[in-house]
Amino acid sequence: MSDASVSPIDTHLYPDLAEQGGLGPAWRNAARRAGVDLEEISWPDDFFRLNYASVATASGRIDLATAANRRVFSMNVSVDGRPRLWGGSDDLELLARAAAAWRDGSTIREMIAAFPFLETSRFEQAREDGNLLDVLWEFHLGDPGYETMRPVLRAAHDDPRLSRLYPSVTHETLARFTVDPDDRENGQVAIWHHAGRYEVETSWQATTRPAATPAEAVRLASVEIPDTY
């Protein structure tokens, strides 16, 4: 298109989008053909207005975008900014039915069963199943990429307080254990590994304390975690 303020559409891959004025109108029309009530489809008014569309629902946001070099529409379903489901299809009617199913309350399992082009992570599935804590501990204790911090993870898993927190590892030198997996401000333990020694800091104690072993680091952290956790 000649207007440099508008994102281009490949008319060979997406002749229907070019004819209908972009992805948003084309998706809305496809939903009508599919007999799906999806009138809440919207699209941006900036540079990308021809290539993107979305549906805001009570159960999250559904974003659709065109791909380059081949005809496919990528779908991303997110809740509070966190991806829950993703995938791609060249069928706008199918994508409209998928969007309506999520809006109307389908679970992740139900979505993947009904729309096999969609996928999720084991962690997002665990969130839905209510066993994210167990899955995160299993993953971190078993992943070979966390070998350096595994002694800390094992000691923390054996501790009655730290084992109730959600584990994560950063750069293989920092283990975190958080009260809320999505918000560290709700309380956390941080244990660093430096040249064979450890440092401990928690949300309940402002200072950083040294520790000679993983077991000592975990003991220092554990005594500071309130019993309410």
Side-chain angles (χ1 to χ4, degrees), residues 60-76:
R61 178 184 174 92
I62 305 161
D63 291 298
L64 205 65
T66 59
N69 303 321
R70 64 189 182 105
R71 181 184 171 90
V72 67
F73 305 98
S74 61
M75 173 177 276
N76 181 70

Side-chain angles (χ1 to χ4, degrees), residues 3-4 10 12 32 46 49 67-68 73 82-83 88 90 98 104 106-107 115 136 143 150 160 169 189 213 216:
D3 187 350
D10 188 326
H12 297 290
R32 291 167 179 166
D46 59 11
R49 59 186 176 271
F73 305 98
R82 187 181 68 249
D90 63 356
D104 294 342
S106 292
T107 65
F115 306 100
L136 281 173
D143 193 302
R150 184 159 294 111
V169 174
V189 168
T213 66
E216 182 184 0

Side-chain angles (χ1 to χ4, degrees), residues 143-200:
D143 193 302
Y146 297 141
E147 191 61 36
T148 299
M149 297 303 289
R150 184 159 294 111
V152 172
L153 291 164
R154 286 173 177 159
H157 187 255
D158 290 339
D159 182 85
R161 287 191 174 94
L162 269 75
S163 62
R164 296 198 295 266
L165 306 185
Y166 294 86
S168 64
V169 174
T170 302
H171 302 310
E172 187 52 15
T173 58
L174 169 60
R176 296 185 189 271
F177 307 91
T178 57
V179 173
D180 184 332
D182 301 314
D183 187 357
R184 294 173 184 168
E185 298 300 319
N186 284 348
Q188 72 162 331
V189 168
I191 299 176
W192 287 268
H193 178 268
H194 298 292
R197 294 184 60 81
Y198 301 88
E199 292 182 350
V200 181

Side-chain angles (χ1 to χ4, degrees), residues 195-216:
R197 294 184 60 81
Y198 301 88
E199 292 182 350
V200 181
E201 184 178 334
T202 77
S203 296
W204 306 279
Q205 173 73 314
T207 59
T208 300
R209 278 90 55 218
T213 66
E216 182 184 0

